[in-house]
Amino acid sequence: MIQTDTWFSSGAVLPNGTLVQTGGYNDGDRNIRNGNLFIFANTRSIYLDYNQNRVLKVFPRIPGDDPRNYPSTGSSVLLPLDESKAVIEPEIMVCGGAPRASYTQATQGNFIRAISTCGRLKVLDPNPSWTMEDMPLARVMGDMILLPNGDMLIINGAESGTAGWELGRDPVTQPIIYRPSTDVSNWRFAIMSPSTRPRMYHSSAILLPDGRILVSGSNPHVNYNFINVEYPTDLSMESFSPPYLSLEYDRIKPRILSVDENIGYGGKLFSLSFQLQVYLTANALEVNIVAPSFATHSFSMNQRMVSLKIVGVTNLSPSTYGLTVAGPSTAEIAPPGYYLLFAVHAHVPSQGMWVKIE
C-alpha cells in the first residue's frame, strides 16, 4: 500500500519488476541503463540512486528556465536504447510546456503562447548539457509517443494557455513526427495532417499493436460539459496512422510468421521469421521491443523502446527470412514484463507481437 497521498504522481518499472512512484503533478521519472532514476520537474533534474536514497548528480537547468510540468504541462520520453552499440547512451527528450506566469495569466483571461522548444540530455555523459531544438508548432499538454520504427510522435494539446479547467486555447490538431537518429538528411520534424477534433486537457494517446496511435478524450471542464462551451467534453476515440502505414510501403513491410514468446536476458538468442515482398538489405532490418505505457496528463509512464541486436539473417525461402536475435543484455535496459516486438525493414514496422521478457 502507498504510504503517502499523491496527486498526479509518476512511476517507472524497476529492474526487479516492482514499480517506483515519485512526486506529484506529473514529474517525470525514467529508469536509466544502470538502474538508477532520472527525475525531471519543471526546469530541474536529478539522477537518483533509489536503493540508497542518494542524489548522484544534479543536472543543469533546461535552457530558457520555463517550467515543463503541470500546469505548464510539457511531455518527455526516454529515446530508444540501441543494444547493437558498444556503449548505450540513455538520452531524455523534453518538449513543450508554458512560460512562467502562464497559469496566473490564463486565470485572468490572458492566454500566453506555449513553448516551442525541445531539449535533449544525455544522462550518463561526463559533462551533460541540454541540446535545444525548435518545434514547428508551440504546444502545451502534448503527448509524446515512441513509434515502433524509432521515430517519435507529438500529438494533442494547445498552442496557448496551460493545463487546468478552462485554461487552454488554440488547439493544436496537427501531430508532429520527430526523427531522433543522426540520419536527418531529409527532415527532423515533419507536420502531419490535422484531426478534426480538439484534444485538450485530459486527452491521451497510446501505441497500438498495428502501429497506429489511439487518441481519446478531452475535458477541460470541472464536469462533463457537451454544449454551449468553446471546447465541449469529448469522449470519443480516434486513431492516427503514421506514414509507414501507407499502402505505398506495403511491399517493404515485414509480416512476422513466428517469434519466441519468452525472451531471456544476457543476450540469450531467440528466433524470428517473417515474410517480405521486396527485401532491400540486412542493414535495413531492426527488431524493436516497446514497453506498454500507462498514460495520464501528457506523460506516458513506463514508455521504453529497446532496439535488439540482430546476430544473423537467413533466407529460408523466396520472400521468407529468419532472424537470430540477442535478447536484452540486462533488466536495467529492459525491465521484466510484456513488450510489443516489431520487425522493422527500411523504417517500416510489422504488426507488433506480444513477448515476455524474463
Side-chain angles (χ1 to χ4, degrees):
M1 178 180 290
I2 296 173
Q3 301 298 314
T4 304
D5 292 337
T6 56
W7 192 254
F8 298 155
S9 61
S10 59
V13 177
L14 299 176
N16 64 4
T18 61
L19 179 73
V20 62
Q21 182 180 24
T22 62
Y25 283 101
N26 292 96
D27 55 330
D29 53 270
R30 305 285 180 184
N31 171 30
I32 303 300
R33 185 186 74 196
N34 54 12
N36 296 318
L37 288 178
F38 174 87
I39 301 176
F40 178 90
N42 276 324
T43 64
R44 303 171 66 184
S45 48
I46 62 170
Y47 197 41
L48 178 70
D49 179 344
Y50 59 88
N51 287 307
Q52 303 295 326
N53 193 26
R54 183 164 64 96
V55 175
L56 302 177
K57 182 179 291 186
V58 177
F59 295 97
R61 288 177 179 260
I62 192 167
D65 205 38
D66 285 318
R68 308 280 180 151
N69 292 99
Y70 183 94
S72 294
T73 304
S75 189
S76 68
V77 293
L78 171 64
L79 293 176
L81 304 172
D82 190 349
E83 286 271 31
S84 64
K85 292 184 177 180
V87 178
I88 299 176
E89 294 184 309
E91 188 170 7
I92 299 293
M93 185 170 186
V94 179
C95 288
R100 290 192 180 277
S102 292
Y103 177 80
T104 302
Q105 289 293 313
T107 62
Q108 299 170 5
N110 181 25
F111 302 98
I112 298 173
R113 186 174 184 266
I115 297 170
S116 62
T117 59
C118 295
R120 291 175 59 160
L121 181 72
K122 292 183 178 180
V123 178
L124 298 184
D125 193 286
N127 296 294
S129 62
W130 291 92
T131 299
M132 305 302 293
E133 299 184 65
D134 290 312
M135 296 186 290
L137 302 169
R139 194 179 304 247
V140 62
M141 297 180 287
D143 287 275
M144 295 173 68
I145 306 296
L146 292 173
L147 300 179
N149 62 358
D151 290 344
M152 188 266 294
L153 177 73
I154 308 175
I155 196 167
N156 299 339
E159 190 175 0
S160 304
T162 69
W165 311 124
E166 319 293 347
L167 299 180
R169 293 294 186 275
D170 305 319
V172 183
T173 58
Q174 292 175 292
I176 295 173
I177 290 181
Y178 175 83
R179 181 160 291 173
S181 68
T182 54
D183 179 15
V184 291
S185 55
N186 293 322
W187 47 266
R188 178 70 105 178
F189 290 97
I191 300 176
M192 300 288 105
S193 300
S195 169
T196 59
R197 295 176 179 270
R199 300 288 182 177
M200 308 284 278
Y201 192 43
H202 289 138
S203 60
S204 189
I206 194 169
L207 175 67
L208 296 176
D210 64 4
R212 293 178 300 160
I213 304 300
L214 180 65
V215 180
S216 61
S218 182
N219 184 34
H221 315 292
V222 175
N223 301 304
Y224 283 5
N225 200 335
F226 299 97
I227 58 173
N228 301 323
V229 289
E230 190 168 5
Y231 305 113
T233 299
D234 190 335
L235 304 182
S236 69
M237 295 188 291
E238 60 184 329
S239 65
F240 169 75
S241 296
Y244 53 65
L245 290 174
S246 173
L247 288 177
E248 67 180 290
Y249 300 117
D250 200 54
R251 288 170 58 81
I252 60 172
K253 178 175 181 173
R255 287 166 174 80
I256 295 177
L257 300 176
S258 65
V259 64
D260 295 344
E261 294 182 359
N262 294 282
I263 298 174
Y265 289 110
K268 184 178 180 180
L269 300 182
F270 68 94
S271 298
L272 180 155
S273 65
F274 64 95
Q275 285 186 329
L276 190 63
Q277 291 184 44
V278 178
Y279 177 75
L280 299 180
T281 170
N283 292 332
L285 290 171
E286 299 175 49
V287 174
N288 296 332
I289 55 173
V290 182
S293 61
F294 32 104
T296 184
H297 289 74
S298 301
F299 185 55
S300 294
M301 291 169 276
N302 194 49
Q303 185 172 213
R304 172 180 296 249
M305 177 185 293
V306 180
S307 184
L308 300 177
K309 184 177 181 179
I310 297 175
V311 177
V313 183
T314 305
N315 187 189
L316 301 176
S317 65
S319 301
T320 303
Y321 301 86
L323 295 179
T324 302
V325 187
S329 54
T330 67
E332 285 75 18
I333 293 295
Y338 287 93
Y339 289 73
L340 279 171
L341 181 146
F342 295 88
V344 181
H345 176 250
H347 225 59
V348 177
S350 68
Q351 169 93 10
M353 305 289 285
W354 286 106
V355 297
K356 187 177 183 181
I357 309 295
E358 57 183 355

